[in-house]
DNA sequence: GAATTCATACTTGTATACAAGATACATAGC
DNA sequence: GCTATGTATCTTGTATACAAGTATGAATTC
């Protein structure tokens, strides 16, 4: 793996885990030193992150972790709804939808005793569910765009499943979406899917503010040192 | 403007105007020499173009202009349909849609004598029409993704209006889409819009192959020299 | 004390030098 | 003639040096 690639992933993790907080300013050499690399691969990584929407550059005047903006996240959630609903509508018209969804059905339409309970696992599985839907769409570009949108949302979305009750609710919502698709009930499927995504979005919005405040206190030593 | 930015735009133009043909291999130093720049800004430009889907890098083994792939373009056209139809559906439910569409109406619902006839102008106007729709969606992220998709399609889409009859057809299709939205006839509007985009896509597919062959002959001197 | 100017330190932007790896081709061995 | 191996060349990956611009703060002037 490239050094640039390593730096890219590390920076992303730092941002995701709130070690670098929204609004923080930093310089290329600072990152280079921390990552034990020269500025060249760091710059490459930073420009990728900029295109991903995580950081922004100020001309000859440093970088900044993109400040949080809930309008931004909500708009991305909206895009997710549009893309996923489109795929679901198509699926409802396909005769082999049962086979295509078989994998998802075994995971989500199981007995309560067989359900995953760890928030991290469920966050991963939830992502797989929505990616799985897009895979059924037979449109690689739409899939790529959807993946990109989900990636941008990951920073807030992972917090969803720490909220009490959201894991159980997710199981029920997913299985009823799958049920609707299998019944070829397009309007019910899209309605349930939209509701599911909106619920997740609303939960996340409420949590995120607190998480950032927590992180800001946790790393306050680092900041004051500087 | 950055040197990297200049190189980025120039390379894009070279690819769009078929001076660099799909499938062509090239190296960073080659480009740097042609653009009178060092490899650093060239690399930055190339990595941006890679993310845009125009070129690809082979590890320590040079670059390539992305070979044409109609499946790729058709999938992107599909994404356009999904996004634009979504916005149109929303517009049909807004009470102030007449004011929002006023600009587009004066351009497209005019007398035949007032219509633009130059293919380049019409290509520009057509793009503005579809961007204009997305602007009405009040979702900046969706708008940005749509712009991105259109940008990727520009390389083939600009050929559309050189086909006899497509300019006139575009005027009629656009005005009937606008008419349907103003009548709040959501299903007719999306049907017309889908048909319009599909027609454009089909025209383009037929033309593009010939254009590349033409360009390949036109620049054959350059290639054989090398 | 307030405003202005100038110097300094710090930032990114760009060029260049070198390292590491891939490819192609010639050459040796069979 | 065929295969294997080694070398030369070319490629990108990375580090570093320098150029150009920005912000900050101290010194100066009023």
């Amino acid at each position: 793996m490239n050094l640039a690639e390593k730096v890219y992933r590390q920076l992303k993790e730092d941002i995701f885990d709130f070690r670098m907080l929204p609004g923080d300013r930093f310089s290329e050499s600072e990152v280079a030193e921390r990552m034990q690399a020269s500025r060249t691969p760091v710059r490459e990584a930073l420009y990728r992150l900029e295109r991903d929407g995580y950081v922004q550059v100020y001309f000859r005047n440093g970088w900044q972790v993109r400040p949080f903006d809930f309008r931004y996240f909500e708009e991305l959630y909206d895009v997710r709804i549009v893309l996923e609903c489109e795929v679901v509508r198509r699926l409802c018209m396909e005769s082999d939808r049962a086979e295509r969804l078989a994998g998802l059905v075994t995971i989500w339409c199981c007995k309560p005793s067989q359900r995953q309970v760890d928030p991290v696992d469920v966050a991963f599985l939830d992502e797989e569910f929505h990616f799985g839907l897009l895979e059924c769409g037979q449109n690689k570009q739409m899939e790529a765009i959807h993946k990109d949108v989900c990636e941008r949302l990951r920073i807030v979305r992972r917090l969803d499943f720490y909220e009490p009750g959201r894991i159980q609710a997710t199981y029920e919502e997913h299985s009823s979406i799958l049920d609707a698709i299998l019944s070829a009930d397009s309007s019910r499927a899209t309605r349930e899917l939209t509701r599911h995504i909106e619920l997740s979005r609303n939960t996340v919005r409420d949590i995120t503010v607190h998480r950032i405040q927590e992180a800001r206190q946790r790393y306050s030593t680092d900041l004051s040192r500087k």
Side-chain angles (χ1 to χ4, degrees), chain A:
Chain A
M1 183 169 43
N2 274 358
L3 187 49
E5 177 72 23
K6 281 182 201 161
V7 172
Y8 173 78
R9 296 191 190 183
Q10 184 60 52
L11 279 172
K12 211 168 184 177
E13 283 306 304
D14 286 347
I15 293 171
F16 274 31
D17 295 342
F18 299 126
R19 279 187 293 274
M20 294 170 79
L21 288 168
D24 279 2
R25 297 288 294 255
F26 62 94
S27 74
E28 295 173 1
S29 32
E30 203 177 310
V31 175
E33 195 179 2
R34 194 168 79 231
M35 307 266 179
Q36 311 241 44
S38 79
R39 273 178 54 220
T40 309
V42 168
R43 278 171 65 81
E44 198 178 308
L46 283 173
Y47 279 111
R48 279 180 64 188
L49 287 168
E50 189 192 27
R51 243 195 92 77
D52 292 347
Y54 297 116
V55 300
Q56 42 197 154
V57 63
Y58 293 89
F59 189 76
R60 288 191 210 277
N61 195 23
W63 294 77
Q64 182 181 36
V65 182
R66 189 199 180 102
F68 262 34
D69 173 3
F70 286 106
R71 175 116 195 106
Y72 169 79
F73 292 122
E74 286 182 5
E75 288 180 358
L76 287 177
Y77 269 106
D78 252 15
V79 175
R80 264 190 68 196
I81 291 174
V82 172
L83 295 180
E84 295 189 24
C85 283
E86 171 67 19
V87 169
V88 162
R89 258 191 297 272
R90 290 185 195 183
L91 256 180
C92 286
M93 297 187 296
E94 301 285 336
S95 55
D96 63 342
R97 60 189 181 282
E99 293 100 76
R100 291 205 211 162
L101 293 176
L104 296 180
V105 168
T106 56
I107 293 174
W108 296 102
C109 308
C110 62
K111 292 176 202 152
S113 61
Q114 294 174 312
R115 292 177 180 173
Q116 299 286 334
V117 290
D118 182 63
V120 177
D121 292 343
V122 177
F124 178 77
L125 277 181
D126 178 65
E127 200 156 56
E128 290 295 305
F129 174 83
H130 295 279
F131 287 165
L133 288 181
L134 261 287
E135 273 171 33
C136 298
Q138 296 183 300
N139 182 323
K140 289 286 170 199
Q141 294 310 311
M142 195 179 297
E143 212 179 319
I145 291 170
H146 175 262
K147 262 214 165 79
D148 206 66
V149 170
C150 288
E151 185 65 21
R152 294 185 194 203
L153 284 171
R154 227 181 66 192
I155 193 169
V156 291
R157 205 168 145 214
R158 63 207 320 228
L159 302 174
D160 192 11
F161 303 99
Y162 287 98
E163 194 68 354
R166 277 301 298 152
I167 290 179
Q168 200 191 331
T170 298
Y171 269 92
E172 279 150 23
E173 288 156 23
H174 282 189
S175 65
S176 83
I177 292 165
L178 290 171
D179 183 62
I181 300 175
L182 292 174
S183 319
D185 187 343
S186 174
S187 72
R188 194 182 116 222
T190 54
R191 190 170 1 106
E192 299 273 359
L193 179 56
T194 303
R195 182 172 149 271
H196 168 61
I197 297 177
E198 282 173 348
L199 277 171
S200 160
R201 181 189 66 192
N202 297 340
T203 310
V204 156
R205 182 180 40 205
D206 298 336
I207 301 175
T208 311
V209 179
H210 299 120
R211 280 303 176 109
I212 293 178
Q213 287 175 345
E214 275 173 38
R216 190 155 276 141
Q217 289 177 352
R218 199 180 327 138
Y219 297 107
S220 59
T221 336
D222 290 24
L223 292 173
S224 60
R225 182 164 49 78
K226 182 178 152 191

